[in-house]
Amino acid sequence: MGLPALEFSDCYLDSPQFRERLKSHELELDKTNKFIKELIKDGKALIQALKCLSTAKRKFADSLNEFKFQCIGDAETDDEICIAKSLQEFAAVLQNLEDERTRMIENANDVLIMPLERFRKEQISAAKEAKKKYDKETEKYCAVLEKHLSLSARKKESHLHEADNQVDNVRQHFYAVSLEYVFKVQEVQERKMFDFVEPLLAFLQGLFTYYHHGYELAKDFNHFKTDLTISIQNTRNRFESTRSEVECLMRKMKENPHEHKSVSQHTMEGYLFVQEKRSFVSTWVKYYCTYHREPKRVTMVLFDPKSGGKMGEEESFMLKSCTRRKTDSIEKRFCFDVEAVDRPGVITMQALSEEDRRLWMEAMDGREPVGYHVAQLDVIGFNVMKKFIYAVDTRGINEQGLYRIVGVSSRVQKLLSLAMDPKTCADVELENPEWEIKTITSAIKHYLRMLPAPLMTYQYQRSFIKAAKLDNPEARVTEIHALVHRLPEKNRQMLELLMKHLANVANHHQQNLMTVANLGVVFGPTLLRPQEETVAAIMDIKFQNIVVEILIEHNERSWCFFSTVVLSTNMQLNLPRRRSTESKAPSCSERPLTLFHTPTHSQKSETVCICTLQIYFNLYNTSSAINCTFYVCVSISATSPSPTSPRSPSWPMFSAPSSPQPTSSASSDSSPVSIVGRKARALYACKAEHDSELSFIAGTIFENVHASREPGWLEGTLDGRTGLIPENYVEFL
């Protein structure tokens, strides 16, 4: 859409709508001015770059022109003369082409830079001056008007009449200045359509002329190119005819070598550069190294070039392992890591070439680096996370700054590589002091960040943020838990594992200083990272932290619906029927996680079965369990199916429970009521949260309502569209 049009009536010039529209034009002028300044700057840079390129090509042409071929022998063939002349011909073509480029560059300043600068200085600057005058008159007019309105009505009529005339004069002058400014803005906006674009067209035309000149020059050069190609081919053919003599000479050199390579007494020897850390700075020191395969001993002798080639002190160690260093893990090339039996740490060495590194690694029985497994929610990922979390829980749960302090990147990468490689994962012992707690915690965070999608998925990222922004704290917690249950199974399992661990960390915050809020800051951006990094996403980071805080604080509530359910006792109570209309209809944010059958007005009798459910929470790496008891009230009518039936709407979340089972007051021979093709009326309003659901208000009539494959849901038709309906939101007619 374009800019809004400016109207010029007197009654309109001082209105807020006019000022708002004028403001949009002023912003457009500022944007245009800034763009032209950048364009002029870039144009000058382009011209300067073309000048530099032209200078370099002219220098290249001069070098070609100065070089003279010297052929073997006291005479030259025609082909050799043509080849020798070719460099001068190349130079002439380049010089001619650069002459045309120079003309284009000189013309570019006249047709591009100067018109743009003229438009900016004459038109946009004039509009800015008019704006200053308009702002000044606006301020003056407002001040006079306020002063005039503050006059007392008791003053003399002549004095008031004079004040009115003064205000009218100022108002007329203000309107005149306003109109001048508006027309100037209008003029600049219109003139830029041609004063701004025309120089660009002229510049492109000059560029096309330059390229056309190059095309014509190439056609003129084509004749010489053909002759030169023939001469080159003739010269090559003559060279091939003498190849037999060259091969004969090479054979003699192989049969009678002047030098023989001496056999070394060592398995491998040569110069290597060793990385050493001195005063927090890494330096590379040159050593002359030898390696004996039989005792696996490496000997290094310091070589100082400043000492005139004198050798330094000798040091040696027994080799434990040798691994090629990945190129992306270090700035140097040809590097490999060695570990010693009798000295701690890893020694990074640099060979003289790729071939030299290969020879050293072959001599030392080196191996290729272990590329860690791609982070996935698979068996390997779960095993690694369980192993890491167990190590943190047992070794470092009280360590201050847990998950805040970052481990060394190289060690974190190495730990993940070893732990996620099926060949080496069994050999990783996290009890080893080599693996610090900060290394393990950093590996946990790095694994979560390296997943293809965040653990709480891109699909629900905005939904979690929206839930965290709810005003009602209880609705906020309920909605977040509902979203957790919609996550893919593996994501939910991994999130459950992580949140139980973080809840344990938060329980020890007196020692480790990591409160729930601190953990939210650490894990919020990792678990709920947005798909695109925008300013809006950055502003939502605090809500990401709130989501993680809620999951940690309400950890037990988050996973209880997915735990093992054991029916322990049951009893029946005959209670009077309560009308469903007495309870307030639930909102969308309070939609039940489990859907229970809602009694209808047509039901004649009802039995309420109160069942005690014992839910056991199996804790990670422990044999204990948390035993929680819930009382669930299930409404059963005389015409409803038995609650022991797997398809009973009274038990939509659980499969058929094992004995003992709740008994119904209805007779056992009563058959379920068929609901195929029936009509139903909505008891509550419902807003669809998925494409497969229907939105509706209370009282909506559904057609062709029948059972759905989804437990707790019905399928019906509304206004020609078929979709899912929550089972406890409707009653059958």
Side-chain angles (χ1 to χ4, degrees), residues 449-479:
R449 284 194 293 265
M450 293 304 293
L451 291 173
L455 195 58
M456 300 172 78
T457 71
Y458 292 127
Q459 178 184 358
Y460 294 110
Q461 197 265 349
R462 294 303 309 162
S463 299
F464 276 111
I465 297 299
K466 185 178 179 181
K469 293 180 179 180
L470 293 176
D471 295 332
N472 189 330
E474 182 60 29
R476 188 186 311 153
V477 174
T478 302
E479 187 68 16

Side-chain angles (χ1 to χ4, degrees), residues 372-385:
Y372 64 86
H373 190 274
V374 178
Q376 295 288 348
L377 294 176
D378 53 8
V379 176
I380 295 178
F382 274 89
N383 290 339
V384 168
M385 285 292 288

Side-chain angles (χ1 to χ4, degrees), residues 444-615:
I444 292 175
K445 293 186 292 183
H446 189 71
Y447 167 80
L448 295 172
R449 284 194 293 265
M450 293 304 293
L451 291 173
L455 195 58
M456 300 172 78
T457 71
Y458 292 127
Q459 178 184 358
Y460 294 110
Q461 197 265 349
R462 294 303 309 162
S463 299
F464 276 111
I465 297 299
K466 185 178 179 181
K469 293 180 179 180
L470 293 176
D471 295 332
N472 189 330
E474 182 60 29
R476 188 186 311 153
V477 174
T478 302
E479 187 68 16
I480 288 176
H481 288 149
L483 290 170
V484 167
H485 299 322
R486 297 180 196 168
L487 293 175
E489 183 66 17
K490 290 184 178 180
N491 295 61
R492 189 197 58 76
Q493 290 177 357
M494 182 63 76
L495 187 63
E496 176 183 1
L497 178 66
L498 179 64
M499 289 303 140
K500 287 181 178 179
H501 166 63
L502 294 184
N504 186 32
V505 174
N507 291 337
H508 294 78
H509 70 274
Q510 296 288 354
Q511 295 78 27
N512 57 39
L513 306 182
M514 291 303 292
T515 61
V516 172
N518 291 338
L519 293 172
V521 171
V522 173
F523 284 92
T526 298
L527 301 180
L528 271 173
R529 66 179 185 270
Q531 196 162 8
E532 295 181 1
E533 293 185 0
T534 61
V535 176
I538 294 175
M539 299 301 294
D540 284 340
I541 288 180
K542 55 186 176 183
F543 296 105
Q544 298 172 4
N545 303 343
I546 290 175
V547 173
V548 176
E549 292 176 21
I550 289 175
L551 293 178
I552 297 175
E553 288 180 349
H554 303 270
N555 173 59
E556 294 181 1
R557 174 175 174 179
S558 301
W559 324 110
C560 62
F561 289 110
F562 291 88
S563 302
T564 304
V565 179
V566 180
L567 191 63
S568 61
T569 63
N570 69 83
M571 61 182 177
Q572 295 182 1
L573 297 175
N574 291 324
L575 297 177
R577 176 167 54 91
R578 299 180 61 183
R579 296 174 61 90
S580 60
T581 56
E582 294 177 0
S583 59
K584 183 181 178 182
S587 64
C588 272
S589 61
E590 298 169 343
R591 294 181 64 176
L593 297 177
T594 59
L595 303 174
F596 296 100
H597 179 66
T598 303
T600 65
H601 298 291
S602 61
Q603 293 171 334
K604 300 301 182 182
S605 62
E606 184 177 286
T607 303
V608 179
C609 176
I610 299 180
C611 306
T612 305
L613 306 182
Q614 289 184 332
I615 298 179

Side-chain angles (χ1 to χ4, degrees), residues 229-459:
T229 303
I230 295 174
S231 297
I232 292 174
Q233 187 61 41
N234 293 337
T235 306
R236 179 180 288 109
N237 293 337
R238 283 193 292 270
F239 169 76
E240 293 294 337
S241 65
T242 61
R243 191 175 187 84
S244 59
E245 296 182 11
V246 176
E247 291 177 348
C248 181
L249 177 61
M250 291 175 61
R251 195 179 305 112
K252 292 179 180 179
M253 294 178 64
K254 290 180 179 179
E255 293 174 354
N256 302 299
H258 297 286
E259 296 180 359
H260 298 275
K261 185 178 180 180
S262 58
V263 179
S264 173
Q265 58 179 340
H266 310 294
T267 304
M268 189 66 189
E269 63 179 343
Y271 287 103
L272 291 172
F273 288 85
V274 179
Q275 186 182 30
E276 296 182 354
K277 291 185 178 181
R278 299 175 180 176
S279 302
F280 305 101
V281 178
S282 295
T283 59
W284 293 84
V285 183
K286 189 176 183 180
Y287 286 87
Y288 188 84
C289 303
T290 57
Y291 174 68
H292 296 268
R293 183 187 295 271
E294 188 58 31
K296 282 194 171 184
R297 177 165 294 279
V298 179
T299 303
M300 303 191 308
V301 180
L302 179 64
F303 176 80
D304 187 5
K306 297 180 181 179
S307 63
K310 295 181 180 179
M311 294 296 181
E313 296 182 358
E314 179 180 296
E315 57 177 313
S316 61
F317 58 87
M318 299 297 293
L319 180 68
K320 179 181 179 182
S321 66
C322 172
T323 308
R324 183 179 68 84
R325 188 68 177 265
K326 286 185 177 180
T327 305
D328 56 357
S329 66
I330 194 169
E331 296 180 355
K332 299 287 187 178
R333 302 164 64 196
F334 320 132
C335 293
F336 59 96
D337 294 336
V338 297
E339 291 183 286
V341 176
D342 48 358
R343 60 187 292 181
V346 177
I347 305 173
T348 301
M349 296 182 170
Q350 183 186 26
L352 302 181
S353 64
E354 185 65 36
E355 178 66 15
D356 191 36
R357 177 171 66 175
R358 185 185 65 81
L359 295 175
W360 277 102
M361 291 188 61
E362 286 182 357
M364 294 181 174
D365 297 324
R367 63 182 181 180
E368 289 295 311
V370 178
Y372 64 86
H373 190 274
V374 178
Q376 295 288 348
L377 294 176
D378 53 8
V379 176
I380 295 178
F382 274 89
N383 290 339
V384 168
M385 285 292 288
K386 290 178 181 178
K387 195 171 185 178
F388 287 172
I389 287 175
Y390 179 75
V392 176
D393 285 340
T394 54
R395 284 181 52 202
I397 195 66
N398 295 325
E399 190 164 319
Q400 291 188 0
L402 197 64
Y403 287 105
R404 279 276 197 181
I405 301 176
V406 182
V408 180
S409 178
S410 59
R411 288 188 174 273
V412 174
Q413 292 283 359
K414 182 179 179 182
L415 175 58
L416 277 174
S417 299
L418 295 174
M420 301 192 72
D421 189 341
K423 299 179 181 178
T424 58
C425 60
D427 299 331
V428 178
E429 296 180 358
L430 296 180
E431 295 78 11
N432 193 322
E434 176 186 3
W435 307 119
E436 301 176 281
I437 291 299
K438 64 181 181 180
T439 303
I440 300 175
T441 55
S442 296
I444 292 175
K445 293 186 292 183
H446 189 71
Y447 167 80
L448 295 172
R449 284 194 293 265
M450 293 304 293
L451 291 173
L455 195 58
M456 300 172 78
T457 71
Y458 292 127
Q459 178 184 358

Side-chain angles (χ1 to χ4, degrees), residues 13-62:
L13 284 173
D14 196 30
S15 66
Q17 294 85 355
F18 172 79
R19 292 182 179 276
E20 183 178 354
R21 294 187 176 188
L22 186 59
K23 185 66 176 178
S24 63
H25 282 266
E26 291 173 352
L27 292 175
E28 177 62 21
L29 282 181
D30 290 339
K31 188 190 302 182
T32 303
N33 184 41
K34 183 178 179 181
F35 176 72
I36 292 177
K37 288 175 65 177
E38 291 293 328
L39 195 64
I40 292 173
K41 179 181 177 182
D42 294 339
K44 290 181 177 180
L46 175 61
I47 292 174
Q48 185 62 32
L50 291 175
K51 287 182 179 179
C52 294
L53 177 61
S54 181
T55 302
K57 292 182 73 173
R58 287 183 184 276
K59 186 177 180 181
F60 179 73
D62 292 339

